[in-house]
Amino acid sequence: ESLGLTGLRFANTAPDGGWGNAAGAGVGQLQMTAWDSLRLLWLLDDQAPPAPWLPADRPPLLAASHAHVMLCLREQRLHEVLSSSKLRAEPGWVEGLPDEVLFAHKTGTTDNYASDAGIVTGRASARRHYLIALTSNLGRRYAATPACASTWRLPALGSAVDGVMRELLGD
């Protein structure tokens, strides 16, 4: 709440990993909106302007572990929601965010939901730099193939958003 992430909720969790339904922290207990995901990424993005919803003198988020968190987001290999390079060999493959960008992101999928949020940066040009987040009810039950996390519509959306951003940013 102190970061202005009003849709973020971690109720009934335990420090020993009580995140699942059996621990009482199932659906309705853990919540994060796409908007909160974007604002959290904004606070982690070194190249983002100061967050307009927070005081200007607010200290950096995760100062001691920032580099490690960003490394984890960059090295994440689940390119299967807004990006789809992991799925290239699958029948009917649809390109998501293109290989010409770096996508530091975090996915989350279940049978009923698919989400992805991250920082997109152009490899060839720093002009293409934006945040993107998606939360949907198109989980694994809608997967195009057993290896997929969802329908091909989600990578197609990632590609379409990148096309608009590439044009807007002149990259």
Side-chain angles (χ1 to χ4, degrees):
E1 288 179 5
S2 69
L3 296 173
L5 307 176
T6 57
L8 179 61
R9 179 178 163 191
F10 291 100
N12 298 321
T13 60
D16 64 351
W19 296 90
N21 287 330
V27 175
Q29 302 296 310
L30 304 175
Q31 299 171 174
M32 186 169 194
T33 66
W35 180 234
D36 283 330
S37 298
L38 282 177
R39 293 197 297 177
L40 182 59
L41 288 165
W42 184 323
L43 297 174
L44 291 172
D45 188 349
D46 289 336
Q47 297 176 34
W53 67 92
L54 293 174
D57 61 346
R58 177 148 189 92
L61 182 64
L62 304 176
S65 59
H66 179 266
H68 179 71
V69 169
M70 291 306 298
L71 176 68
C72 290
L73 292 173
R74 282 191 302 273
E75 297 295 319
Q76 200 263 109
R77 298 287 183 244
L78 294 176
H79 294 284
E80 57 185 15
V81 180
L82 290 171
S83 55
S84 62
S85 59
K86 174 186 174 187
L87 304 170
R88 254 194 186 88
E90 293 299 311
W93 178 73
V94 173
E95 183 178 32
L97 291 168
D99 289 341
E100 66 194 54
V101 299
L102 296 172
F103 189 31
H105 66 120
K106 173 67 177 88
T107 61
T109 57
T110 68
D111 284 343
N112 296 315
Y113 302 99
S115 61
D116 201 352
I119 303 167
V120 177
T121 309
R123 291 181 191 265
S125 166
R127 290 182 58 92
R128 193 181 326 172
H129 186 109
Y130 61 91
L131 305 176
I132 186 171
L134 163 85
T135 301
S136 80
N137 63 349
L138 296 173
R140 291 195 185 277
R141 71 175 55 205
Y142 299 101
T145 72
C148 292
S150 185
T151 172
W152 290 123
R153 291 178 180 186
L154 299 185
L157 179 62
S159 179
V161 168
D162 188 70
V164 168
M165 296 305 293
R166 183 176 56 242
E167 188 174 314
L168 284 173
L169 300 172
D171 187 27

